[in-house]
Amino acid sequence: MWLINSKMLSQCLCQVYKCLFLRNLKLNSINVATLARRIHSSAKKLSDCELKEQTVQKGETKVLPQSTENNNFGRLHIPVMLEEVVNCLSPQRGQRFLDMTFGAGGHTTALLEKAGDITIYALDRDPTAYKIAQQLSESYPKQIQALLGQFSQSEALLISSGVEPGTLDGVLLDAGCSSMQFDTPERGFSLQKDGPLDMRMDSDRYPDMPTAADVVNALDQQALASILRTYGEERHAKKIASAIVQARSIYPITRTQQLASIVAGAFPASALYARKDLLQRPTHVATKTFQGLRIFVNDELHELLIGLKTAEKFLKPGGRLVALSFHSLEDRIIKRFLHGIDMTEKYNLGSRQKIRQALKNCSKKEDTEEFPSGKSNSKWMFIQKKVLTPQAKDIQTNPRGRSAKLRAAIKL
């Protein structure tokens, strides 16, 4: 039975891979503007139903029973670059904001505490985060509206909640994976804790959506190597893909630590923790493999681009966008979007020169109190000239946020 299902799944995923991926490799860049949504086949079928359901519940939000697990997440979660996010968004009384990745609600809570009488639309694709947002709304009646959905569903969700394009004062977009997801072994994100090899941020909302286990057991060696190289930025992608294919020929790969062991087995013992993170701490050799699979399974880069476009559409002139990224692929998309550079263009010297030229063309003094730095195109005025990174004290209290980069801009 497993062999029959595996063969069918392999054929399906290989077709998805060819449509989704090979064109981008030919460009030698991640063409997120044209990434197909076919890998999430059930998402389209169920999204309309979910949107109608949330519309019906609008104004009479159903509060779920208090969950000890969810409450613990809220207490333990440390928001990344909290002070910088609040300062860049600069909330004022009566304003409306969209938190596109609510998570455990750290940033949303800080904004509510900073300014009274503001409204926040709390979006997240993770059902656990959605429940936390519903619970937090009890403490801030009529100020928080929880929305369950992906970035690609955010426009429909906002409109169904009565939000018109061009009416929001600020948008926070915190890309990547949350601490809650890493800390829950059953979600399959962490290689440090054994669990099913899942990695779906939507959890079980879309049963037909392939898991990381489906990907590693179904795709051929070339496809796996391409995913690991492009999305995981793994220079040993061929070696790791070969080890995965060899291992799965003996038994299916279904657990996180099983996959981590397979990847580790492709290297000498001395190389297991030879890599270092930004704090010069040893990192497991399978870390980039897990990153690449997670990004592919959740279509994260395509979702990020759609999220940025939605933020631009719903912000009013003078509205503020704050975007947090955690690796170069995310930051490159955000940077290019704000500078108005085509996503299909290779990231080379030419594109860097375009950014420099755009910055040189800025007017140096243009209402410096409201718009403290220069603009790079006709759509955005940068709040900070350079990307912001965490302070040493923040890294000490929250090492997971060490690689964060914050870019903030004002819509013109």
Side-chain angles (χ1 to χ4, degrees):
M1 186 66 178
W2 162 259
L3 292 176
I4 296 174
N5 291 336
S6 177
K7 185 176 180 180
M8 294 175 60
L9 182 60
S10 178
Q11 292 174 346
C12 177
L13 277 175
C14 284
Q15 290 176 355
V16 169
Y17 165 80
K18 289 175 182 177
C19 296
L20 186 92
F21 201 81
L22 292 178
R23 287 178 300 170
N24 303 325
L25 292 177
K26 291 178 182 178
L27 291 171
N28 194 28
S29 65
I30 299 172
N31 186 359
V32 295
T34 59
L35 283 177
R37 296 289 296 160
R38 296 178 196 176
I39 194 169
H40 311 293
S41 57
S42 63
K44 180 65 178 174
K45 297 175 183 177
L46 298 181
S47 59
D48 293 340
C49 179
E50 285 191 343
L51 292 176
K52 290 179 181 178
E53 182 179 349
Q54 290 195 41
T55 303
V56 171
Q57 292 179 350
K58 185 179 64 176
E60 48 181 77
T61 304
K62 180 180 178 181
V63 179
L64 300 181
Q66 291 290 336
S67 166
T68 304
E69 181 182 15
N70 293 342
N71 289 339
N72 288 338
F73 277 134
R75 287 194 298 269
L76 296 175
H77 176 67
I78 303 175
V80 176
M81 299 183 71
L82 183 62
E83 182 179 345
E84 291 86 347
V85 167
V86 173
N87 289 340
C88 288
L89 286 174
S90 185
Q92 308 295 324
R93 290 183 64 88
Q95 289 186 332
R96 297 199 298 174
F97 294 87
L98 169 63
D99 186 345
M100 297 193 78
T101 37
F102 177 80
H107 291 116
T108 287
T109 302
L111 290 171
L112 290 165
E113 292 176 350
K114 179 71 174 181
D117 194 29
I118 66 172
T119 301
I120 297 182
Y121 298 90
L123 172 74
D124 208 292
R125 66 190 292 180
D126 192 323
T128 300
Y130 176 66
K131 291 176 183 178
I132 296 174
Q134 288 182 311
Q135 292 169 6
L136 187 61
S137 66
E138 288 186 305
S139 301
Y140 296 92
K142 299 182 180 180
Q143 287 187 269
I144 295 179
Q145 179 158 342
L147 304 174
L148 177 62
Q150 304 167 0
F151 292 159
S152 55
Q153 299 168 331
S154 59
E155 180 175 349
L157 287 168
L158 287 168
I159 290 175
S160 69
S161 300
V163 182
E164 297 295 328
T167 60
L168 293 179
D169 296 283
V171 174
L172 170 62
L173 196 158
D174 185 353
C177 198
S178 72
S179 291
M180 293 189 301
Q181 291 164 339
F182 278 121
D183 291 336
T184 308
E186 294 77 18
R187 302 295 300 275
F189 288 95
S190 175
L191 58 86
Q192 303 294 344
K193 301 174 182 179
D194 189 44
L197 192 58
D198 193 326
M199 297 194 190
R200 294 173 299 173
M201 291 181 175
D202 301 276
S203 192
D204 294 324
R205 288 177 59 217
Y206 304 127
D208 294 339
M209 180 177 173
T211 65
D214 294 329
V215 173
V216 298
N217 285 295
L219 290 183
D220 61 35
Q221 183 172 325
Q222 180 187 358
L224 285 173
S226 298
I227 290 171
L228 302 185
R229 184 184 305 110
T230 303
Y231 296 125
E233 300 178 293
E234 174 56 72
R235 63 180 182 272
H236 299 296
K238 280 187 177 181
K239 180 189 295 187
I240 295 171
S242 176
I244 290 173
V245 171
Q246 185 177 0
R248 79 186 188 194
S249 67
I250 303 171
Y251 47 80
I253 304 169
T254 60
R255 309 288 296 181
T256 55
Q257 291 195 341
Q258 181 187 3
L259 176 60
S261 297
I262 292 168
V263 175
F267 296 87
S270 59
L272 185 57
Y273 286 98
R275 297 177 179 179
K276 308 289 183 182
D277 63 15
L278 294 178
L279 300 181
Q280 294 303 305
R281 302 179 307 178
T283 59
H284 195 282
V285 72
T287 300
K288 291 186 175 182
T289 296
F290 273 64
Q291 173 187 305
L293 290 172
R294 190 201 79 217
I295 291 174
F296 181 78
V297 165
N298 294 287
D299 203 12
E300 290 181 35
L301 302 185
H302 181 237
E303 286 290 321
L304 173 58
L305 180 59
I306 294 179
L308 290 167
K309 290 180 178 180
T310 302
E312 180 183 336
K313 182 174 183 176
F314 279 83
L315 279 171
K316 62 174 61 172
R320 294 170 176 246
L321 170 65
V322 174
L324 283 165
S325 62
F326 293 87
H327 55 75
S328 60
L329 300 178
E330 293 171 343
D331 184 57
R332 189 177 304 163
I333 292 170
I334 294 168
K335 186 176 182 179
R336 284 181 167 217
F337 177 81
L338 293 176
H339 283 287
I341 297 176
D342 188 352
M343 296 293 169
T344 63
E345 185 176 336
K346 288 186 178 182
Y347 193 75
N348 53 23
L349 182 60
S351 60
R352 293 192 184 100
Q353 286 177 332
K354 288 181 182 180
I355 292 174
R356 294 194 192 103
Q357 187 62 43
L359 289 172
K360 287 180 182 178
N361 293 337
C362 309
S363 54
K364 292 184 179 180
K365 293 184 179 180
E366 189 173 353
D367 194 0
T368 56
E369 182 176 356
E370 179 65 23
F371 306 111
S373 60
K375 63 181 179 179
S376 65
N377 61 23
S378 60
K379 295 182 179 179
W380 299 98
M381 178 83 70
F382 286 90
I383 296 174
Q384 304 289 342
K385 287 184 178 179
K386 294 184 178 180
V387 63
L388 297 181
T389 55
Q391 302 177 37
K393 63 177 183 178
D394 295 329
I395 295 176
Q396 186 175 5
T397 57
N398 185 17
R400 279 183 178 168
R402 62 189 177 277
S403 59
K405 291 184 177 180
L406 185 152
R407 297 186 185 274
I410 296 171
K411 180 181 175 182
L412 298 180

